[in-house]
Amino acid sequence: MSYRENVMVSLKPLSEQVMVITGASSGIGLATARRAAKAGARVVLAARNGDALDEIVSEIREQGGEAVAMTLDVADEGAADRLAGQALDSFGRIDSWVNNAAVALYARLEQVTLEEHRRVFDVGYFGLVQGSMTAVKHL
């Protein structure tokens, strides 16, 4: 019997979920936040752009949704734990965690500094790992 055959997964409908979304100030993260909130999820949004987050939270609330936001950098040590704390303080639990924050570079290799390359990994890899390690404690 395969692993998949032994595991029964039952997901709550979005309307019953508390969803944490990183990178929620633009792009896919923003679209995910809007879509989840429209479906009734309570959303906890995170990104470095606090002004954009404030606008998104206001928009969601004006449409009858529930949202809170936290300005942070997922690459910072402890950021995921602080974000989880915000979710727990605001809504009492976490049902889904979306690691969406990212940094992208578009340039010739010799035009990008080693520091810029490190930033891509700090956010895209280590931020994701930190978020996942925190999320698994609460899911």
Side-chain angles (χ1 to χ4, degrees):
M1 189 176 288
S2 73
Y3 175 76
R4 292 183 77 159
E5 293 173 43
N6 287 328
V7 177
M8 289 291 296
V9 176
S10 177
L11 301 177
K12 293 178 182 177
L14 278 177
S15 62
E16 297 175 17
Q17 289 196 35
V18 173
M19 181 180 289
V20 174
I21 306 167
T22 68
S25 63
S26 64
I28 293 170
L30 174 57
T32 302
R34 285 177 170 151
R35 195 76 187 261
K38 186 175 182 177
R42 291 174 283 173
V43 294
V44 182
L45 311 177
R48 292 182 302 148
N49 186 338
D51 292 337
L53 289 174
D54 290 343
E55 287 181 33
I56 298 156
V57 167
S58 292
E59 172 190 313
I60 289 170
R61 289 179 178 169
E62 286 171 7
Q63 295 175 4
E66 294 181 69
V68 297
M70 184 173 221
T71 303
L72 58 74
D73 186 332
V74 298
D76 292 344
E77 189 171 337
D81 289 332
R82 292 191 303 278
L83 182 55
Q86 177 70 48
L88 296 172
D89 289 346
S90 298
F91 300 120
R93 68 178 196 276
I94 299 167
D95 298 302
S96 293
W97 187 292
V98 179
N99 284 309
N100 179 70
V103 171
L105 297 174
Y106 182 77
R108 294 173 59 108
L109 181 64
E110 67 273 9
Q111 295 172 320
V112 179
T113 67
L114 186 56
E115 183 176 299
E116 290 169 320
H117 283 286
R118 286 186 199 279
R119 179 71 181 148
V120 170
F121 276 85
D122 284 345
V123 172
Y125 178 75
F126 291 108
L128 182 143
V129 169
Q130 181 181 197
S132 297
M133 290 174 69
T134 296
V136 76
K137 296 175 198 174
H138 302 283
L139 299 176

